Amino acid sequence: MAAPSFDPHAPFDPLVDLDGLWTPELADRYLPIPGMPPAKYECLDGKLIMSPYEGSANIYAADELYIRMRAPARQLGGNAYTTLNLEMPQFSSLRWTQPDFAVLREPARGRVWIPAQAFLLVGECVSRSTRRNDYVDKPAEYAKAGIPYFMRVEIKYEQERASVELLRLEDGTYRDHAKALSGQTFETDLPFPLSFDPIELLEL
């Protein structure tokens, strides 16, 4: 079978022409894609992964956690954030994620691309479309990157239920450190003190 012909006059389409080649430098140049709906952009081995923004329940939960983490994170010399671009250059320059919330060891101070070693904690709010990523794939990636803490939040708004899990990196694997369901108290002293009922993450 003959190789497909290349048309030098075809319009440039970054989603097609850069498939498998995406880097932070190309993302700075071409993202967001003009005319496309707003989306979350992540990259695995040069392949761009686009997903819709989180629903309002997850956005509210991430914002509430950011508010609770900001002061204790600053006391440690860092800061808390909602979505950041997390680079994982130990794998390749073609891989990054956008956790739903995070704590850095030091303030970002305007940086767009943050290396994994700068993160103290990353967190994901589980949604139906990202469930496998949030329970399996992303924790494995973050553990390989050496990020000390991973937090997972699951909101079931219609049922007025919420759960929070904090996992701590031990010997290259995340282990349960603290967790709670709505009606219980989530409490931890590490990486900084936090105490709240997960139901507070729901906008009721």
Side-chain angles (χ1 to χ4, degrees):
M1 180 183 293
S5 59
F6 173 70
D7 182 0
H9 303 294
F12 173 72
D13 182 345
L15 292 178
V16 174
D17 296 308
L18 298 179
D19 184 48
L21 303 173
W22 284 98
T23 64
E25 292 76 19
L26 290 173
D28 284 338
R29 184 171 181 180
Y30 293 110
L31 299 180
I33 304 293
M36 294 288 290
K40 184 175 183 178
Y41 294 98
E42 298 181 302
C43 181
L44 179 63
D45 297 331
K47 291 189 172 293
L48 198 64
I49 302 168
M50 296 191 302
S51 56
Y53 281 129
E54 296 286 345
S56 61
N58 280 356
I59 292 172
Y60 185 88
D63 286 345
E64 285 293 308
L65 282 164
Y66 156 73
I67 291 168
R68 285 165 171 76
M69 292 179 175
R70 183 174 53 184
R74 286 177 173 176
Q75 289 176 0
L76 291 180
N79 215 338
Y81 302 84
T82 48
T83 300
L84 292 171
N85 293 307
L86 190 166
E87 276 192 284
M88 292 187 278
Q90 70 274 22
F91 301 112
S92 75
S93 62
L94 309 180
R95 189 176 293 198
W96 74 81
T97 66
Q98 291 184 329
D100 293 321
F101 55 94
V103 173
L104 297 185
R105 301 173 189 271
E106 298 179 354
R109 295 193 174 91
R111 287 180 293 170
V112 175
W113 299 95
I114 316 293
Q117 59 266 28
F119 286 77
L120 176 63
L121 179 150
V122 291
E124 300 288 352
C125 294
V126 179
S127 63
R128 193 172 298 173
S129 63
T130 65
R131 190 172 185 84
R132 176 183 167 80
N133 277 341
D134 296 334
Y135 272 92
V136 180
D137 299 334
K138 283 191 174 180
E141 294 284 323
Y142 295 148
K144 289 179 185 177
I147 298 173
Y149 292 91
F150 173 70
M151 182 177 282
R152 182 166 48 230
V153 177
E154 188 157 7
I155 303 295
K156 296 184 178 179
Y157 188 81
E158 293 78 8
Q159 302 171 32
E160 296 187 4
R161 292 170 53 191
S163 64
V164 178
E165 299 175 85
L166 179 64
L167 294 88
R168 185 178 181 183
L169 191 64
E170 297 178 5
D171 299 323
T173 302
Y174 283 126
R175 310 285 186 190
D176 288 344
H177 180 71
K179 57 184 174 181
L181 303 173
S182 44
Q184 302 174 343
T185 300
F186 174 84
E187 193 157 13
T188 181
D189 289 328
L190 296 172
F192 40 69
L194 284 175
S195 180
F196 61 92
D197 183 336
I199 198 68
E200 297 169 24
L201 304 182
L202 272 69
E203 184 182 20
L204 298 176

Coordinates of all heavy atoms in Angstrom, one line a residue, residues 17 30-31 34 39 42 47 52 87 94 116 128 132 134 137 139 148-149 177-178 190-191:
D17 N -1.5 17.6 13.2 CA -0.1 17.7 12.9 C 0.9 17.6 14.0 O 2.1 17.2 13.8 CB 0.2 19.0 12.1 CG -0.6 19.1 10.8 OD1 -0.5 18.2 10.0 OD2 -1.3 20.1 10.6
Y30 N 0.3 26.9 21.0 CA -0.9 26.6 20.2 C -2.2 26.4 21.1 O -3.3 26.3 20.6 CB -0.7 25.3 19.4 CG 0.3 25.5 18.3 CD1 1.6 25.0 18.4 CD2 0.0 26.3 17.2 CE1 2.5 25.1 17.3 CE2 0.9 26.5 16.2 CZ 2.2 25.9 16.3 OH 3.1 26.1 15.3
L31 N -2.0 26.3 22.4 CA -3.2 26.1 23.3 C -3.6 27.4 24.0 O -2.8 28.2 24.3 CB -2.9 25.0 24.3 CG -2.5 23.6 23.7 CD1 -2.3 22.6 24.9 CD2 -3.7 23.1 22.8
P34 N -8.1 27.6 19.1 CA -9.1 28.5 18.7 C -10.4 27.8 18.2 O -10.3 26.9 17.4 CB -8.5 29.4 17.6 CG -7.0 29.3 17.9 CD -6.8 27.9 18.4
A39 N -11.5 23.5 27.6 CA -11.2 22.2 27.9 C -10.0 22.2 28.8 O -9.2 23.1 28.9 CB -10.9 21.3 26.7
E42 N -4.2 17.9 29.0 CA -3.1 17.1 29.6 C -2.4 16.4 28.5 O -2.9 16.3 27.3 CB -3.7 16.2 30.6 CG -4.3 16.9 31.8 CD -4.9 16.0 32.9 OE1 -5.7 15.1 32.5 OE2 -4.5 16.1 34.0
K47 N 0.9 12.8 23.3 CA -0.5 12.8 22.8 C -1.3 13.7 23.7 O -1.4 13.5 25.0 CB -1.0 11.4 22.8 CG -0.3 10.6 21.7 CD -1.1 9.2 21.5 CE -0.5 8.5 20.3 NZ -0.8 9.2 19.0
P52 N -13.5 17.8 29.2 CA -14.3 19.0 29.6 C -13.9 19.4 31.0 O -13.4 18.6 31.9 CB -15.8 18.4 29.6 CG -15.7 17.2 28.8 CD -14.4 16.6 29.0
E87 N 4.6 19.2 35.3 CA 5.5 18.6 34.3 C 6.2 17.3 35.0 O 6.5 17.4 36.2 CB 6.7 19.5 33.9 CG 6.3 20.5 32.8 CD 7.6 21.1 32.3 OE1 8.1 22.0 33.0 OE2 8.1 20.7 31.3
L94 N 7.4 15.1 27.2 CA 6.2 15.0 26.4 C 5.0 14.6 27.4 O 4.0 14.1 26.9 CB 6.3 14.1 25.3 CG 7.5 14.2 24.3 CD1 7.4 13.2 23.2 CD2 7.5 15.6 23.7
A116 N 7.6 18.3 38.8 CA 7.0 17.4 39.8 C 7.6 17.6 41.2 O 7.0 17.5 42.2 CB 7.0 16.0 39.4
R128 N -17.1 11.0 36.7 CA -17.5 9.7 36.0 C -16.5 9.4 34.8 O -16.1 8.3 34.6 CB -18.9 9.8 35.4 CG -19.5 8.5 35.0 CD -21.0 8.7 34.7 NE -21.7 9.1 35.9 CZ -23.0 9.4 35.8 NH1 -23.7 9.4 34.7 NH2 -23.6 9.8 36.9
R132 N -11.2 6.0 36.3 CA -10.0 5.1 36.3 C -8.7 6.0 36.4 O -7.8 5.5 37.2 CB -9.9 4.4 34.9 CG -8.7 3.5 34.8 CD -8.5 2.8 33.5 NE -7.1 2.3 33.4 CZ -6.7 1.2 34.0 NH1 -7.5 0.5 34.7 NH2 -5.4 0.9 33.8
D134 N -8.3 8.7 38.1 CA -8.1 9.3 39.4 C -7.9 8.2 40.4 O -7.3 8.4 41.5 CB -9.4 10.0 39.8 CG -9.6 11.3 38.9 OD1 -8.6 11.8 38.4 OD2 -10.8 11.7 38.8
D137 N -4.5 5.4 37.3 CA -3.4 5.9 36.5 C -2.7 7.1 37.1 O -1.4 7.1 37.2 CB -3.9 6.3 35.1 CG -4.6 5.1 34.3 OD1 -4.1 4.0 34.6 OD2 -5.4 5.3 33.5
P139 N -2.6 8.3 40.3 CA -1.8 8.0 41.5 C -0.5 7.3 41.2 O 0.5 7.6 41.8 CB -2.8 7.1 42.3 CG -4.1 7.5 41.9 CD -4.0 7.8 40.4
P148 N 5.0 13.6 47.6 CA 4.8 12.9 48.9 C 3.3 12.6 49.2 O 3.1 11.6 49.9 CB 5.4 13.9 49.9 CG 6.4 14.7 49.1 CD 5.8 14.8 47.7
Y149 N 2.4 13.4 48.8 CA 1.0 13.2 49.2 C 0.1 13.3 48.0 O 0.2 14.2 47.1 CB 0.6 14.2 50.3 CG 1.3 14.0 51.6 CD1 2.5 14.7 51.8 CD2 0.8 13.2 52.6 CE1 3.2 14.5 53.0 CE2 1.5 13.0 53.8 CZ 2.6 13.7 54.0 OH 3.3 13.5 55.2
H177 N -3.4 7.2 54.5 CA -2.9 8.0 55.7 C -4.1 8.5 56.5 O -4.1 8.5 57.7 CB -2.1 9.2 55.2 CG -1.5 10.0 56.3 ND1 -0.5 9.6 57.1 CD2 -1.9 11.3 56.7 CE1 -0.3 10.5 58.0 NE2 -1.1 11.6 57.7
A178 N -5.1 9.0 55.8 CA -6.3 9.5 56.5 C -7.5 9.5 55.5 O -7.3 9.8 54.4 CB -6.1 10.9 57.1
L190 N -0.3 15.8 58.9 CA 0.7 15.8 57.8 C 0.0 15.9 56.5 O -1.1 15.2 56.3 CB 1.6 14.5 57.9 CG 2.4 14.4 59.1 CD1 3.1 13.0 59.1 CD2 3.5 15.5 59.1
P191 N 0.5 16.6 55.5 CA 1.7 17.4 55.6 C 1.6 18.7 56.4 O 2.5 19.4 56.6 CB 2.0 17.7 54.1 CG 0.7 17.8 53.5 CD -0.1 16.7 54.1

